[in-house]
Amino acid sequence: MKKGIQYMKRAILFLLISSLALLCAVFDSVDNGVAKSISFIGGLLFFLFLLLGYFMFYRFSKFRKENTERAEKTNGKPGIIVFFSNSQAKKADIAMIISFVISIATLIMGQVNPALHANILFNLISVLSSAVLIFTIQMHAILNGVNYRYYLTLTESK
């Protein structure tokens, strides 16, 4: 059972690292070769950890299917269409909504006043809200899903 728990923990950790790698995009607006390299490496890390995270999530899903009855396999709606199913999911859903609003606001502000893109603080807020939005969308889908409900039963039985 501990092996299955580690799959879920690693999946969430890798998805967090993937989203944090987007912070390297702040350096994209700097006209420096080193800064451009950091931005490029951040993009590579984003996709690498995204793939690792979803691979670990796949392994957990496979673990769940191997260790549950056939009737349990078909229960539940996909996590992407369920909201506020547990306390962790409520936090992720609220953070997702807030980061969505901030991301849209920075997008509109950047379109209205293109000079804001020269401001490093504006770029940081814009990229950070996008990184949080990506992470919270993924957590919304995972924490409201069938696999996470199974994960909770594993951790409660410890």
Side-chain angles (χ1 to χ4, degrees), residues 13-151:
L13 177 66
F14 289 156
L15 292 174
L16 175 64
I17 293 170
S18 170
S19 296
L20 290 176
L22 288 177
L23 294 177
C24 294
V26 171
F27 298 107
D28 193 42
S29 62
V30 178
D31 291 331
N32 184 339
V34 174
K36 294 280 186 188
S37 298
I38 291 172
S39 181
F40 179 74
I41 291 169
L44 288 176
L45 290 175
F46 169 77
F47 285 109
L48 174 69
F49 281 101
L50 186 71
L51 290 173
L52 285 172
Y54 281 117
F55 177 72
M56 285 294 137
F57 188 72
Y58 166 77
R59 296 288 306 259
F60 182 81
S61 181
K62 188 176 175 182
F63 172 81
R64 176 188 61 86
K65 289 176 184 177
E66 290 171 352
N67 292 306
T68 57
E69 298 295 322
R70 181 151 179 84
E72 289 182 44
K73 289 182 184 177
T74 58
N75 284 348
K77 296 177 184 175
I80 198 72
I81 60 173
V82 177
F83 286 85
F84 306 110
S85 65
N86 57 56
S87 63
Q88 295 90 353
K90 287 177 188 176
K91 294 171 188 171
D93 291 342
I94 291 169
M96 179 181 67
I97 293 166
I98 292 169
S99 62
F100 177 74
V101 169
I102 294 171
S103 293
I104 294 297
T106 57
L107 179 69
I108 292 171
M109 288 170 54
Q111 294 296 318
V112 171
N113 187 1
L116 282 175
H117 290 289
N119 186 340
I120 192 79
L121 181 61
F122 177 79
N123 286 340
L124 181 63
I125 291 170
S126 178
V127 170
L128 184 60
S129 66
S130 297
V132 170
L133 178 63
I134 290 171
F135 180 68
T136 55
I137 288 172
Q138 293 170 353
M139 288 304 97
H140 158 74
I142 290 174
L143 297 177
N144 286 306
V146 176
N147 286 323
Y148 192 72
R149 284 192 293 262
Y150 180 69
Y151 171 78

